[in-house]
């Protein structure tokens, strides 16, 4: 068998069988990214019917659960926790409990909430209501069922106990926002019982709070009274000891701290300090008078009498000088002036001498006084020193007595304040809103339950749909092939079931040329009449939705060529059987022939051929005969009549010939490339219908010889794993994949609104126009 590398060249210049590296943009073994929110939304929209059923079932279940429930009434009361003045009457100083500070206010409120829910308080409320409240009558749907079933009702006492226990179990307490308001709720089937229980709970809570504070104050008062009696005895003993010691030691005190001797010593010290200062000042004056001129002494200069005499002396001296200049010494007026001057000068000297004598006497006096005071101070100091040890002991006893007296007075004051506080019943709890009898039950709420059930149903439905979709590995929608295979999607072929036979019968002429009704999918033709064959719908139902889809696919193929040239030899295959590849090939060939190209359709599926059935041809001789006989291509365009023209202009078919299980061997020989080379020269486009490539290798061999390979994927049947395996094998073979065609897709299951145009409205409009034109 010849090696593939020796085969003739293909249309793009490479040898058949030559391995070419191909990059698809994503490695074949790469894990796919998990679907995003948009993908999940498309999945949910595609299965919106199931989703709606789940949602409706959830809502219905919520209603059914709510209806049999016994109606419950909720009573509400709110309490305000005030900040109590703990220092009222200075009681904070003797309280053994530390009050909560502002930073612990939240913790204090939580503590009050726990107290409201405590068993002891709830039991007090139950006990009080049992005494003052009659037993409630039968209420609720349970009692109604008892009557229907003729079951005995429980006793009145037992019914009341059970009702109270249920209300106590339903008590809920919570804080309202960032406030000191506490809201208490009570639930019961009896609205009067719910309101009464809530109000009784609030009152009992306040009463319990008052009792706790009163008991604490009473215990404190009793303790203070006992301590006060002990302190009184201690005070009396300490005062007696103080007085006895004072009498024994002979100590006298002017006040509580100072003795008579100490007070006298203090006075002598003050007088001695004053005498010393006076003596120093007078000594300074005396020494200045001894060593300075008398006329310069401050006492002389500051004496008013001396200043007057000095002024008169000055005037007389000026007068004597004037007279002496004019008259003789014997002049009478001159002598009289000189006599007065001498008299004044003598008086001045006498007065100045008297001042100096006074300074001396004052100094002597102050010095004597200082000496006397110093002697007295020293004597008193000796006396005080002798009394020091006695005074120390006296002060110790004095401080002890004072301390006992101060403590006794303080405790006496606190006892009086505690007595007053215990008589006052102050509470830091205030009822803001008392509970009122509710007029309607708060549950069950059928609307709320239905909403919750609807929400749960929506959630469970979405989870079920996503899980089922995740378990379904088939390719479902347009866009799945590019997403999972990273290959272009050349076309989308809708299912033949989409165009119903009813519409075709309603408009027999216009719709018969467009709708192509079929009761089977594209991949399962042959069960309808020759006029309605899906395999020939592009020719027989030209205005139909399916025909237009094949023409749109053809445009994608023609525009996919490189350098402006479309691929000439195309292999059409699928990953598995019954995926509609033969139907796709026949309709593509018709569409290509319609654009004026000469098309050769080769049926290379020599195990289960179908093209001869589609085009109603004899299959006694065909491709298998040509390859087995190794017929020499000598210019005969029909290859001995094996290539036959169909009723469609420009479309030629080479059937498969007799079935054979050695098809791979026949295709692998050198005659097949020669045949394809001949077909390239004689025809514009060559389409090759091949078996499924995962089970049979014919498509892989022919793919190496062709320009491109088209992979047909059937919606809802071809799995992603199978499609990935097919792409992986073509990639390993170096075969170029042109893209995929999604076959047998139902537009009614589209989750994306962009595919809504596949509805028949547009085509029905075209059919009406065609019918009107024909009738005209």
């Amino acid at each position: 068998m010849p090696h593939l590398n020796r085969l003739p060249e293909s249309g793009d210049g490479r040898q058949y069988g030559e391995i070419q590296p191909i990059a698809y943009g994503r490695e074949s073994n790469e894990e796919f990214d998990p679907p995003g929110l948009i993908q999940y939304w498309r999945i949910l929209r595609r299965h919106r019917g199931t989703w709606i059923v789940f949602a409706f079932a959830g809502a219905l279940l919520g209603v059914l659960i709510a209806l049999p429930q016994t109606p419950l009434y909720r009573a509400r009361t709110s309490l305000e926790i005030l900040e109590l003045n703990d220092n009222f009457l200075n009681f904070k100083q003797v309280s053994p409990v530390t009050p909560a500070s502002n930073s612990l206010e939240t913790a204090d409120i939580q503590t009050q909430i726990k107290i409201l829910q405590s068993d002891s308080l709830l039991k007090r409320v139950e006990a009080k209501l049992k005494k003052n409240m009659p037993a409630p009558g039968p209420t609720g749907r349970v009692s109604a069922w008892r009557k229907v079933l003729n079951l005995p009702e429980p006793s009145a006492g037992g019914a009341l106990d059970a009702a109270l226990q249920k209300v106590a179990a339903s008590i809920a307490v919570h804080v309202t926002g960032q406030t000191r308001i506490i809201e208490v709720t009570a639930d019961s089937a009896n609205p009067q019982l719910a309101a009464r229980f809530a109000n009784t709970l609030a009152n009992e809570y306040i009463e319990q709070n008052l009792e706790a504070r009163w008991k604490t104050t009473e215990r404190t008062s009793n303790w203070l009274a006992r301590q006060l009696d002990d302190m009184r005895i201690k005070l009396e003993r300490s005062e007696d000891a103080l007085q006895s010691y004072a009498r024994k030691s002979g100590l006298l005190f002017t006040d509580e701290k100072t003795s008579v001797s100490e007070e006298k010593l203090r006075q002598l010290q003050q007088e001695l300090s004053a005498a010393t200062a006076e003596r120093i000042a007078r000594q300074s004056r005396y020494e200045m008078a001894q060593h300075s001129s008398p006329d310069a002494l401050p006492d002389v200069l500051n004496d008013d009498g001396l200043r007057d005499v000095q002024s008169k002396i000055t005037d007389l001296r000026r007068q004597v000088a004037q007279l002496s200049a004019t008259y003789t010494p014997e002049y009478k007026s001159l002598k009289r002036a000189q006599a007065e001057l001498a008299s004044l000068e003598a008086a001045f000297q006498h007065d100045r001498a008297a001042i100096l004598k006074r300074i001396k006497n004052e100094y002597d006096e102050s010095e004597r006084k200082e000496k006397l005071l110093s002697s007295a101070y020293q004597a008193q100091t000796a006396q005080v020193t002798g009394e020091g040890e006695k005074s120390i002991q006296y002060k110790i006893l004095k401080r002890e007595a004072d301390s006992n007296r101060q403590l006794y007075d303080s405790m006496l004051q606190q006892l009086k304040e505690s007595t007053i506080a215990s008589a006052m019943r102050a509470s830091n709890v205030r009822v803001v809103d008392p509970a009122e009898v509710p007029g309607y039950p708060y549950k069950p709420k059928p609307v709320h339950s239905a909403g919750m059930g609807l929400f749960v149903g929506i959630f469970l439905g979405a989870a079920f749909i996503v899980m089922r979709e995740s378990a379904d590995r088939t390719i479902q929608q347009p866009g799945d092939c590019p997403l999972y295979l990273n290959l272009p999607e050349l076309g989308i072929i809708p299912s033949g079931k989409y165009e119903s036979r009813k519409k075709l019968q309603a408009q027999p002429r216009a719709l018969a040329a467009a709708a192509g009704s079929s009761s089977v999918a594209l991949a399962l033709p042959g069960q309808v009449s020759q006029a309605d064959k899906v395999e020939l719908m592009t020719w027989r139902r030209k205005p139909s939705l399916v025909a237009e889809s094949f023409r749109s696919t053809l445009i994608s193929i023609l525009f996919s060529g490189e350098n402006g040239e479309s691929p000439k030899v195309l292999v059409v295959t699928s990953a598995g059987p019954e995926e509609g590849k033969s139907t796709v090939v026949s309709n593509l060939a018709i569409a290509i022939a319609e654009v004026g190209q000469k098309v050769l359709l080769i049926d290379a599926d020599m195990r289960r051929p179908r093209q001869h059935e589609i085009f109603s041809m004899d299959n006694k001789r065909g491709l298998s005969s040509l390859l087995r006989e190794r017929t020499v291509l000598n210019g005969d365009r029909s290859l001995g009549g094996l290539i036959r023209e169909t009723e469609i202009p420009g479309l030629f078919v080479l059937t498969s010939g007799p079935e054979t299980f050695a098809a791979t061997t026949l295709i692998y020989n050198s005659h097949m490339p020669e045949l394809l080379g001949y077909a390239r020269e004689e025809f514009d486009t060559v389409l090759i219908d091949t078996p499924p490539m995962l089970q049979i290798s014919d498509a892989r061999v022919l793919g190496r010889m062709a320009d491109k390979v088209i992979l047909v994927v059937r919606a809802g049947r071809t799995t992603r794993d199978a499609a990935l395996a097919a792409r992986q094998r073509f990639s390993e073979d170096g075969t170029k994949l042109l893209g995929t065609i999604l076959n047998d897709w139902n537009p009614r299951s589209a989750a994306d609104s962009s595919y809504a145009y596949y509805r028949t409205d547009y085509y029905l409009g075209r059919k009406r126009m065609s019918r009107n034109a024909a009738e005209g």
Side-chain angles (χ1 to χ4, degrees):
M1 184 178 295
H3 196 275
L4 283 177
N5 289 336
R6 298 178 181 176
L7 295 177
E9 294 184 353
S10 63
D12 57 0
R14 66 180 175 89
Q15 289 185 336
Y16 296 117
E18 181 181 357
I19 298 177
Q20 299 291 336
I22 295 180
Y24 290 103
R26 174 188 290 163
E27 295 297 332
S28 59
N29 57 353
E30 180 182 352
E31 293 294 336
F32 298 110
D33 296 333
L37 294 178
I38 296 179
Q39 184 67 14
Y40 283 126
W41 175 244
R42 291 179 177 177
I43 292 173
L44 295 176
R45 287 192 60 188
R46 187 163 64 245
H47 301 281
R48 54 185 174 271
T50 303
W51 204 11
I52 292 173
V53 170
F54 267 89
F56 178 77
L60 181 61
L61 182 62
V63 173
L64 294 178
I65 292 175
L67 289 179
Q69 295 181 5
T70 301
L72 291 180
Y73 297 84
R74 170 167 288 181
R76 301 175 183 270
T77 182
S78 56
L79 307 174
E80 181 183 7
I81 307 299
L82 303 173
E83 294 183 1
L84 195 65
N85 184 11
D86 295 306
N87 203 28
F88 177 68
L89 297 176
N90 292 324
F91 185 70
K92 186 176 181 180
Q93 302 297 329
V94 296
S95 177
V97 180
T98 302
S101 60
N102 292 334
S103 60
L104 300 178
E105 182 177 351
T106 303
D108 181 64
I109 292 179
Q110 294 298 325
T111 302
Q112 301 304 319
I113 291 176
K114 289 298 182 181
I115 294 175
L116 278 166
Q117 295 175 322
S118 63
D119 294 337
S120 60
L121 183 60
L122 294 177
K123 289 179 180 179
R124 287 183 55 170
V125 175
E126 292 179 15
K128 187 171 184 178
L129 290 177
K130 286 180 182 178
K131 297 178 181 179
N132 303 327
M133 186 172 182
T139 57
R141 293 186 173 88
V142 176
S143 177
W145 281 107
R146 287 180 180 274
K147 292 181 180 179
V148 172
L149 299 176
N150 292 324
L151 296 177
E153 293 287 345
S155 62
L160 180 58
D161 292 342
L164 290 175
Q165 291 177 1
K166 289 182 180 179
V167 180
S170 69
I171 291 298
V173 185
H174 63 275
V175 182
T176 306
Q178 298 295 326
T179 65
R180 295 190 301 273
I181 302 298
I182 295 179
E183 187 176 81
V184 182
T185 60
D187 302 340
S188 176
N190 189 322
Q192 291 80 11
L193 178 59
R196 192 162 183 178
F197 195 98
N199 289 326
T200 306
L201 177 62
N203 295 332
E204 289 299 315
Y205 169 67
I206 295 174
E207 187 66 24
Q208 187 186 60
N209 184 281
L210 292 172
E211 290 177 1
R213 293 183 59 83
W214 178 79
K215 289 180 180 179
T216 301
T217 307
E218 186 179 22
R219 287 194 295 268
T220 303
S221 300
N222 296 334
W223 178 83
L224 285 174
R226 293 192 300 269
Q227 295 298 321
L228 188 62
D229 293 338
D230 297 339
M231 186 55 60
R232 182 185 299 108
I233 296 173
K234 290 181 180 180
L235 177 60
E236 292 175 354
R237 290 177 180 176
S238 61
E239 289 183 345
D240 290 341
L242 177 64
Q243 296 299 328
S244 298
Y245 182 79
R247 287 193 300 269
K248 182 178 180 181
S249 60
L251 295 177
L252 297 177
F253 289 85
T254 58
D255 53 24
E256 295 181 354
K257 296 182 179 180
T258 307
S259 65
V260 175
S261 299
E262 291 177 350
E263 179 66 21
K264 185 177 180 181
L265 178 63
R266 184 183 62 79
Q267 294 176 359
L268 288 174
Q269 183 180 9
Q270 292 177 355
E271 292 179 1
L272 179 60
S273 298
T276 302
E278 183 180 3
R279 190 264 307 166
I280 293 173
R282 291 181 177 181
Q283 182 179 358
S284 175
R285 289 174 58 198
Y286 175 71
E287 291 178 355
M288 184 181 295
Q290 289 289 331
H291 299 88
S292 300
S293 173
D295 294 335
L297 293 176
D299 295 83
V300 176
L301 295 175
N302 296 330
D303 189 272
D304 295 337
L306 291 179
R307 282 201 303 269
D308 293 340
V309 173
Q310 183 69 27
S311 177
K312 291 179 180 180
I313 291 173
T314 302
D315 293 339
L316 287 174
R317 286 178 179 176
R318 184 176 58 253
Q319 184 179 0
V320 169
Q322 291 176 357
L323 291 174
S324 298
T326 306
Y327 302 100
T328 62
E330 298 298 333
Y331 185 64
K332 184 178 181 179
S333 296
L334 178 59
K335 288 182 178 182
R336 187 174 56 252
Q338 289 176 346
E340 290 178 2
L341 177 60
S343 176
L344 288 175
E345 286 178 352
F348 180 78
Q349 292 297 330
H350 181 270
D351 292 341
R352 185 174 63 181
I355 291 175
L356 294 176
K357 183 62 176 177
R358 188 179 69 247
I359 292 174
K360 176 67 171 61
N361 293 336
E362 290 177 354
Y363 168 67
D364 293 340
E365 180 186 0
S366 59
E367 186 177 15
R368 178 61 181 170
K369 181 180 180 181
E370 181 183 11
K371 290 179 180 181
L372 294 175
L373 288 174
S374 178
S375 299
Y377 178 76
Q378 291 176 359
Q380 188 64 29
T381 300
Q383 182 180 353
V384 171
T385 304
E387 295 177 355
E389 296 180 358
K390 299 178 180 179
S391 178
I392 291 173
Q393 183 64 28
Y394 178 84
K395 290 181 179 179
I396 292 174
L397 296 175
K398 178 66 175 175
R399 282 194 297 270
E400 181 179 0
D402 292 343
S403 176
N404 291 335
R405 183 180 295 105
Q406 183 179 5
L407 184 58
Y408 175 80
D409 293 341
S410 176
M411 293 181 66
L412 181 61
Q413 179 66 24
Q414 294 295 339
L415 178 61
K416 295 178 180 179
E417 294 173 353
S418 177
T419 303
I420 296 175
S422 62
M424 298 177 62
R425 298 175 60 84
S427 175
N428 64 328
V429 182
R430 181 177 69 91
V431 178
V432 178
D433 294 320
E436 297 180 357
V437 178
Y440 54 90
Y442 86 99
K443 74 174 185 179
K445 296 180 179 179
V447 176
H448 182 266
S449 300
M452 292 296 296
L454 178 65
F455 176 77
V456 174
I458 290 174
F459 176 77
L460 294 179
F464 172 77
I465 292 171
V466 172
M467 291 177 63
R468 188 179 67 175
E469 187 72 14
S470 301
D472 186 3
R473 301 285 295 176
T474 60
I475 294 176
Q476 297 283 346
Q477 295 293 318
D480 288 353
C481 290
L483 175 64
Y484 298 115
L485 305 180
N486 196 27
L487 290 174
E489 195 168 59
L490 301 175
I492 304 168
I493 310 302
S495 173
K497 297 179 182 179
Y498 185 63
E499 298 186 19
S500 64
R501 187 181 300 275
K502 182 178 180 180
K503 291 184 179 180
L504 181 63
Q505 294 174 354
Q507 298 180 353
R509 289 193 298 175
L511 298 182
S517 172
S518 176
S519 60
V520 295
L522 288 178
L524 299 174
Q527 300 180 12
V528 292
S529 65
Q530 181 70 17
D532 295 334
K533 280 186 177 182
V534 181
E535 294 85 347
L536 300 177
M537 186 171 290
T538 304
W539 172 251
R540 300 191 182 280
R541 310 296 182 195
K542 293 184 178 182
S544 66
L545 176 62
V546 176
E548 291 297 337
S549 299
F550 279 110
R551 296 186 185 102
S552 176
T553 303
L554 173 60
I555 297 301
S556 299
I557 296 174
L558 295 177
F559 288 168
S560 64
E562 299 177 358
N563 299 324
E565 297 182 0
S566 59
K568 198 167 187 179
V569 179
L570 295 173
V571 171
V572 180
T573 186
S574 61
E578 297 183 359
E579 294 185 0
K581 57 178 180 54
S582 298
T583 301
V584 171
V585 170
S586 61
N587 281 279
L588 278 179
I590 296 171
I592 295 174
E594 286 180 345
V595 299
Q597 290 192 11
K598 189 177 181 182
V599 185
L600 173 62
L601 174 57
I602 300 176
D603 189 355
D605 189 354
M606 290 176 279
R607 293 172 179 81
R608 296 178 59 185
R610 290 202 62 249
Q611 296 299 332
H612 66 283
E613 297 177 355
I614 295 174
F615 292 98
S616 302
M617 294 182 177
D618 185 15
N619 196 31
K620 293 181 179 179
R621 297 183 75 249
L623 178 62
S624 60
S625 305
L626 183 64
L627 296 178
R628 186 181 294 109
E629 297 171 1
R630 300 181 181 273
T631 303
V632 179
L633 304 179
N634 54 5
D636 185 2
R637 293 186 176 182
S638 64
L639 299 180
L642 296 179
I643 297 178
R644 286 167 282 183
E645 186 174 6
T646 64
E647 61 177 331
I648 302 167
L651 175 58
F652 297 82
V653 177
L654 174 58
T655 60
S656 65
E659 298 181 5
T660 177
F661 293 98
T664 305
T665 304
L666 294 177
I667 293 173
Y668 201 73
N669 64 37
S670 60
H671 204 56
M672 187 66 192
E674 184 181 356
L675 174 61
L676 293 180
Y678 167 78
R680 288 177 184 275
E681 297 177 358
E682 295 295 331
F683 296 94
D684 297 325
T685 303
V686 179
L687 296 178
I688 304 175
D689 184 10
T690 62
M693 60 88 55
L694 289 182
Q695 293 84 5
I696 304 172
S697 61
D698 296 1
R700 298 174 63 184
V701 177
L702 290 172
R704 296 284 294 273
M705 304 177 187
D707 297 339
K708 297 290 179 65
V709 175
I710 297 176
L711 183 64
V712 177
V713 177
R714 183 176 179 182
R717 182 177 181 87
T718 305
T719 64
R720 298 195 295 267
D721 299 329
L724 281 171
R727 196 202 74 168
Q728 174 71 15
R729 294 184 183 179
F730 281 127
S731 176
E732 294 172 352
D733 295 341
T735 303
K736 292 184 178 180
L737 279 170
L738 183 62
T740 62
I741 296 177
L742 181 64
N743 184 32
D744 194 23
W745 172 63
N746 184 8
R748 296 186 184 276
S749 65
D752 193 349
S753 60
S754 62
Y755 296 104
Y757 196 65
Y758 273 100
R759 300 286 182 182
T760 57
D761 298 342
Y762 176 78
Y763 293 98
L764 288 177
R766 290 187 56 188
K767 295 166 189 175
R768 295 189 189 99
M769 293 175 61
S770 300
R771 182 180 62 183
N772 294 336
E775 292 176 355

